[in-house]
Amino acid sequence: MFDDVTVTTLTQAGWFPGRSISIDLWVAQLRDEGVEVHAAATAFLTEFGGLSVVYRGPGISRARESFALDPEECVGEGDRFLEWSQDLGRQIVPVGSLSDGRFFLGLDEGSELYSVEAFVKTFGPMPVAMDRLVLGGMPEAVDETVAGR
């Protein structure tokens, strides 16, 4: 499913195959911001939610950076995710942060993982997205003409 380095990195952060945690608190927090958590985000957060990877160093096409798969990192940013979701025609749910909070992470209903800021870039669909995130693969720009920005 994942590259061996990704498995090792995630395992060291507390992940294991079949991991399942309660996400009720996050679902309630996101709902308070007007964000509904779809099935793909539910599955993602149930398996990976709460994991944090602290790393800096060379990657495949960008530096490997710390990330936290915790929607609480995105509290107060619900409107940003709602606006991008509307602009892109995808329901992007906040799932965490990248680079010590410089960027937010979101997941759409097709399990595509995004870096979200004043722009949106995609790491691609899961499980490829997790390898790119962990191994330092450059996310690709989402066509902003589609987004109307």
Side-chain angles (χ1 to χ4, degrees), residues 10-27:
L10 293 175
T11 300
Q12 290 173 347
W15 175 81
F16 53 89
R19 182 175 183 264
S20 180
I21 65 166
S22 172
I23 63 167
D24 295 341
L25 177 62
W26 293 327
V27 170

Side-chain angles (χ1 to χ4, degrees), residues 23-98:
I23 63 167
D24 295 341
L25 177 62
W26 293 327
V27 170
Q29 286 174 324
L30 292 170
R31 189 170 289 136
D32 287 346
E33 292 199 20
V35 177
E36 290 299 320
V37 179
H38 49 63
T42 297
F44 180 89
L45 290 170
T46 298
E47 183 172 0
F48 301 106
L51 300 180
S52 291
V53 172
V54 178
Y55 187 84
R56 283 180 180 42
I60 296 170
S61 54
R62 68 170 177 84
R64 290 176 65 182
E65 299 175 279
S66 297
F67 63 90
L69 301 176
D70 180 347
E72 284 188 74
E73 298 280 321
C74 307
V75 168
E77 298 296 329
D79 56 341
R80 179 189 309 265
F81 283 89
L82 291 169
E83 288 173 16
W84 276 113
S85 294
Q86 182 177 13
D87 288 350
L88 297 174
R90 302 168 190 166
Q91 187 183 357
I92 303 172
V93 173
V95 296
S97 66
L98 173 65

